[in-house]
């Protein structure tokens, strides 16, 4: 049991480190949001599972944390992405931009 | 004429206070505090079971306050009267915001529409946040937290709805009624303690076994009251800041 | 029906927080009952009678696929991050969806955000606006991102 | 031993996110790195509760997760409003 838990914990730590590295290395804000959201979500999941293997009686609370993270993280990052596009425009290196027609102007379309 | 009256009144009051300060009648023992008798030291030295045989979760019955969280025991039991004052301070500040910003009817429309995902997802997350706030308030005597953080969580769930939904506006009347009713409940609880034990806000309920939900006497009730009161106060502050005056 | 569903969600989250003992179940039931009445009047949403069936379908069909996609997406991003040449071709793609309900669209958008190389930015009517790390892939060219999830969600909410 | 490795890896992630927080050219970059920071901190709290074997700390992790989400939302709405008319 300890070995399984340790493996999950190390995978979690690894994905956290990769998420941080992604935030650091990616060239524009949207790619950073992608790296930050995904890698850290799986990192958090991994660590929660690892802890749940060691302490099975905590699994209810750990499940709630996982549920909240998986619900809130994508919502937060997409809100952030929209705000970034609104306020700073799209990145310069995009190869295709369908969003411009929707969010490009300063007036709200809604 | 009014100014002269006010001056006379202040002078008389000042003279009274100075007189009593000199006699040491108003503040008994003022200026000669004895360090070994300080309140904090006596809390540290105190023993919960009288006979030093340790405290066991789920078994120890009828402890002095019965709360697993010592900070909660101090805030909501030993120093409950001070906490009543703190809640009053918060009430006055929210009242002051209401006075300054005026009775507003229209909600300020944020310039940009919220994200679709945020708009829909907040309705589900809102329930979880509200529930956590209530949970933190109820379990103040068992877990870290208590009424004040719980109330802040309740208010933050309202803030989430305000940010995520342009049309949302909480029913302010409901909040005001809830806030007042909770304040009255706190006083009634204190008066009940006065009636039954002879001291204002003294615990008059069974302490129960340490570490279970129904333990610690009045502390959970006090913290539920504080949580709802703080939550409604901060929510009304948020509402006032996000509303504009006029029609 | 709306009240029942709200009550179940609140009660579930309370039990997850507090653990299951007799006292907690009693207190949780009372609190959830009161809060579900308040919330149902405050926030507008509608849930129909097939809710339990959908929840079961959701757990059986959706969750395994989702977890596999989540792991795939993380490995994908991790490989891109570690690669010294950073192989990314970012761009925004507009995708049409056949789903109609608000909650379905939210579920689809969240799934897209947590799957390989894509991030949903906003939804406008029936169009999803998606940022993708690699616009050169076949999925992005044909605007078929999230097609798998769309099928599954369509089955669940039929 | 395992906990030391895990904390080391998490610390590495925190360090990179912190560097982005400091150099990030725009406000949006800083907010994004702060968002990542928050998720990492949730992991740290869970790990601490694992090391000290106290399930009480998980409550703090839940509350931190909620407040971190709210912080992200507030910052996102602020960015939209403040820099919107560029």
């Amino acid at each position: 049991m300890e070995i399984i838990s340790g493996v999950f914990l190390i995978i979690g730590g690894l994905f956290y480190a990769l998420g941080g590295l992604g935030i650091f290395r990616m060239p524009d804000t949207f790619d950073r949001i992608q790296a930050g959201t995904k890698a850290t979500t799986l990192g958090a999941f991994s660590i929660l599972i690892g802890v749940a293997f060691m302490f099975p009686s905590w699994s209810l609370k750990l499940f709630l944390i996982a549920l909240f993270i998986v619900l809130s993280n994508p919502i937060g990052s997409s809100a952030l992405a929209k705000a970034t596009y609104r306020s700073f425009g799209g990145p310069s290196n995009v190869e295709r931009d369908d969003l411009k027609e929707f969010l490009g102007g300063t007036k709200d379309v809604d | 004429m009014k100014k002269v009256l006010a001056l006379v009144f202040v002078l008389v009051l000042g003279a009274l206070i100075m007189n009593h300060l000199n006699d040491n009648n108003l503040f008994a023992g003022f200026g000669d505090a004895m360090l070994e008798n300080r309140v904090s030291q006596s809390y540290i030295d105190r023993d919960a079971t009288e006979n030093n045989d340790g405290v066991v979760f789920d078994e120890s019955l009828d402890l002095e306050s019965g709360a697993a969280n010592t900070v909660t025991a101090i805030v909501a039991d030993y120093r409950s009267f001070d906490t009543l004052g703190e809640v009053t301070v918060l009430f006055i500040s929210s009242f002051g915001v209401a006075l300054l910003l005026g009775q507003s009817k229209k909600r300020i429309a944020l310039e940009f529409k919220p994200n679709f995902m945020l708009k829909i997802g907040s309705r589900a997350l809102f329930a979880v946040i509200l529930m956590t706030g209530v949970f933190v308030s109820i379990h103040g005597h068992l877990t870290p937290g208590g009424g004040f953080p719980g109330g802040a969580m309740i208010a933050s769930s309202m803030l989430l709805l305000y940010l995520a939904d342009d049309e949302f506006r909480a029913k302010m009347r409901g909040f005001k009624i809830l806030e007042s009713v909770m304040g009255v409940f706190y006083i009634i609880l204190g008066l009940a303690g006065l009636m039954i034990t002879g001291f204002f806000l003294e615990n008059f309920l069974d302490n129960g076994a340490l570490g279970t939900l129904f333990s610690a006497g009045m502390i959970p009730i006090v913290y539920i009251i504080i949580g709802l009161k703080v939550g409604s106060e901060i929510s009304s502050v948020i509402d006032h800041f996000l509303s504009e005056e006029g029609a | 029906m709306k009240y029942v569903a709200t009550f179940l969600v609140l009660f579930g989250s309370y039990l997850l927080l507090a653990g299951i003992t007799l006292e907690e179940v009693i207190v949780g039931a009372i609190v959830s009952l009161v809060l579900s009445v308040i919330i149902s009047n405050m926030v507008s949403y509608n849930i129909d009678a097939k809710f339990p069936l959908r929840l079961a379908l959701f757990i059986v069909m959706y969750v395994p696929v989702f977890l596999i996609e989540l792991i795939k997406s993380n490995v994908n991003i991790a490989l891109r991050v570690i690669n010294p040449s950073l192989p990314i071709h970012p761009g925004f793609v507009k995708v049409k969806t056949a789903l109609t309900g608000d909650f379905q669209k939210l579920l689809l958008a969240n799934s897209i955000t947590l799957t390989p190389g894509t991030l949903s930015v906003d939804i406008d009517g029936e169009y999803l606006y998606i940022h993708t790390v690699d616009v050169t892939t076949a999925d992005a060219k044909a605007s078929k991102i999230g097609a798998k999830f769309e099928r599954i969600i369509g089955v669940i909410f039929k | 031993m395992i906990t030391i490795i895990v904390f080391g890896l998490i610390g590495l992630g925190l360090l990179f996110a912190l560097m982005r927080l400091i150099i990030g050219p725009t406000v949006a970059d800083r907010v994004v790195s702060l968002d990542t920071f928050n998720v990492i901190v949730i992991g740290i709290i869970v790990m601490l509760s694992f090391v000290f074997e106290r399930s009480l700390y998980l409550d703090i992790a839940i509350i931190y997760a909620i407040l971190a989400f709210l912080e992200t939302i507030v910052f996102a709405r602020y960015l939209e409003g403040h820099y919107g008319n560029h």
Side-chain angles (χ1 to χ4, degrees), chain B residues 6-57:
Chain B
L7 190 66
V8 169
F9 189 68
V10 169
L11 280 177
V12 168
L13 206 64
L16 273 173
I17 290 176
M18 289 313 287
N19 184 30
H20 279 286
L21 275 181
N22 283 335
D23 301 353
N24 273 349
N25 281 337
L26 191 62
F27 302 106
F30 187 83
D32 50 358
M34 288 193 284
L35 284 181
E36 64 269 23
N37 287 346
R38 285 181 87 148
V39 181
S40 53
Q41 192 58 46
S42 63
Y43 278 134
I44 292 168
D45 291 340
R46 139 167 273 144
D47 179 34
T49 49
E50 304 279 326
N51 51 1
N52 268 330
D53 57 353
V55 177
V56 186
F57 263 58

Side-chain angles (χ1 to χ4, degrees), chain C residues 39-57:
Chain C
I39 290 177
S40 307
N41 288 324
M42 217 153 90
V43 188
S44 65
Y45 54 89
N46 39 18
I47 296 165
D48 59 4
K50 283 201 275 182
F51 179 72
L53 174 75
R54 276 179 188 154
L55 195 66
L57 271 177

Side-chain angles (χ1 to χ4, degrees), chain A residues 4 13-14 16 22-23 30-31 42 54-55 58 60 67 78 90 97 100 102 105 107:
Chain A
I4 302 173
L14 206 63
Y16 270 152
I23 285 272
F30 295 92
D31 300 327
L42 191 63
M54 279 299 278
F55 299 99
W58 297 4
L60 287 180
L67 206 66
S78 62
D97 195 347
K100 206 167 197 128
F102 179 46
K107 278 276 174 329

Side-chain angles (χ1 to χ4, degrees), chain A residues 61 64 67-68 71-72 74-75 78-82 86 105-108 110, chain B residues 111-122 124-125 128-129 132 135 143:
Chain A
K61 247 177 215 176
L64 187 75
L67 206 66
F68 194 82
L71 257 173
S72 70
I75 293 177
S78 62
L80 213 50
K82 191 187 179 189
R86 261 283 169 50
T106 50
K107 278 276 174 329
D108 208 327
D110 218 331
Chain B
E111 195 175 347
F112 293 103
K113 294 280 175 294
N115 189 324
F116 178 87
M117 276 85 90
L118 177 60
K119 202 168 163 183
I120 306 301
S122 67
L125 288 171
V128 179
I129 297 177
T132 315
F135 169 84
T143 60

Side-chain angles (χ1 to χ4, degrees), chain C residues 13 16 30 32-33 62-64 75 91 119 131-132 138 147 149 151:
Chain C
S13 54
L16 285 179
I30 297 167
S32 323
L33 204 65
Y62 176 84
V63 174
V75 174
L119 165 77
H131 173 263
T132 165
F149 283 114
R151 226 172 26 246

Side-chain angles (χ1 to χ4, degrees), chain D residues 14-61:
Chain D
L14 267 182
L15 190 70
F16 283 124
L18 189 68
M19 274 151 86
R20 178 53 69 191
L21 186 76
I22 293 166
I23 61 171
T26 62
V27 188
D29 290 307
R30 297 203 167 91
V31 178
V32 170
S33 79
L34 206 61
D35 189 24
T36 311
F37 221 85
N38 284 329
V39 186
I40 297 177
V41 169
I42 295 167
I44 291 179
I45 297 174
V46 174
M47 275 306 289
L48 283 176
S49 77
F50 172 77
V51 171
F52 293 118
E53 304 189 6
R54 293 263 194 288
S55 65
L56 274 185
Y57 297 170
L58 293 180
D59 284 6
I60 303 171

Side-chain angles (χ1 to χ4, degrees), chain B:
Chain B
M1 191 59 208
K2 261 186 199 165
K3 281 177 187 168
V4 176
L5 260 178
L7 190 66
V8 169
F9 189 68
V10 169
L11 280 177
V12 168
L13 206 64
L16 273 173
I17 290 176
M18 289 313 287
N19 184 30
H20 279 286
L21 275 181
N22 283 335
D23 301 353
N24 273 349
N25 281 337
L26 191 62
F27 302 106
F30 187 83
D32 50 358
M34 288 193 284
L35 284 181
E36 64 269 23
N37 287 346
R38 285 181 87 148
V39 181
S40 53
Q41 192 58 46
S42 63
Y43 278 134
I44 292 168
D45 291 340
R46 139 167 273 144
D47 179 34
T49 49
E50 304 279 326
N51 51 1
N52 268 330
D53 57 353
V55 177
V56 186
F57 263 58
D58 286 340
E59 283 177 23
S60 303
L61 291 165
D62 283 332
L63 301 175
E64 191 178 274
S65 89
N69 183 347
T70 321
V71 176
T72 302
I74 292 172
V75 169
D77 193 346
Y78 302 132
R79 290 255 165 268
S80 201
F81 190 66
D82 298 9
T83 308
L84 184 60
E86 280 171 44
V87 174
T88 314
V89 167
L90 203 61
F91 166 71
I92 290 170
S93 58
S94 97
F95 189 63
V97 170
L99 270 182
L100 269 178
L101 297 179
Q103 192 62 41
S104 43
K105 294 204 174 67
K106 211 164 121 234
R107 161 112 154 71
I108 290 177
L110 298 172
E111 195 175 347
F112 293 103
K113 294 280 175 294
N115 189 324
F116 178 87
M117 276 85 90
L118 177 60
K119 202 168 163 183
I120 306 301
S122 67
R123 290 174 193 167
L125 288 171
F126 157 76
V128 179
I129 297 177
L130 188 60
M131 200 68 217
T132 315
V134 175
F135 169 84
V136 169
S137 301
I138 292 175
H139 288 244
H141 57 301
L142 300 177
T143 60
F148 290 98
M153 299 283 289
I154 294 173
S156 57
S157 73
M158 292 296 150
L159 176 64
L160 176 65
L161 280 189
Y162 269 101
L163 286 173
D165 198 343
D166 254 359
E167 270 92 57
F168 175 78
R169 178 125 199 247
K171 291 191 178 64
M172 286 322 293
R173 277 182 63 84
F175 272 138
K176 290 208 171 78
I177 292 167
L178 182 70
E179 200 269 316
S180 320
V181 167
M182 286 303 145
V184 172
F185 272 180
Y186 204 163
I187 303 290
I188 287 176
L189 208 61
L191 288 178
L194 186 65
M195 299 271 271
I196 294 167
T197 65
F199 294 98
F200 191 63
L201 278 169
E202 177 85 7
N203 180 21
F204 58 89
L205 293 173
D206 188 22
N207 270 335
L210 180 76
T212 52
L213 182 59
F214 296 127
S215 69
M218 266 173 27
I219 291 177
I221 302 172
V222 168
Y223 255 173
I224 293 167
I225 290 172
I226 291 175
L228 290 175
K229 196 165 155 63
V230 170
S232 47
E233 273 158 4
I234 303 180
S235 305
S236 75
V237 169
I238 293 170
D239 179 83
H240 276 295
F241 274 111
L242 280 172
S243 308
E244 56 188 321
E245 229 174 318

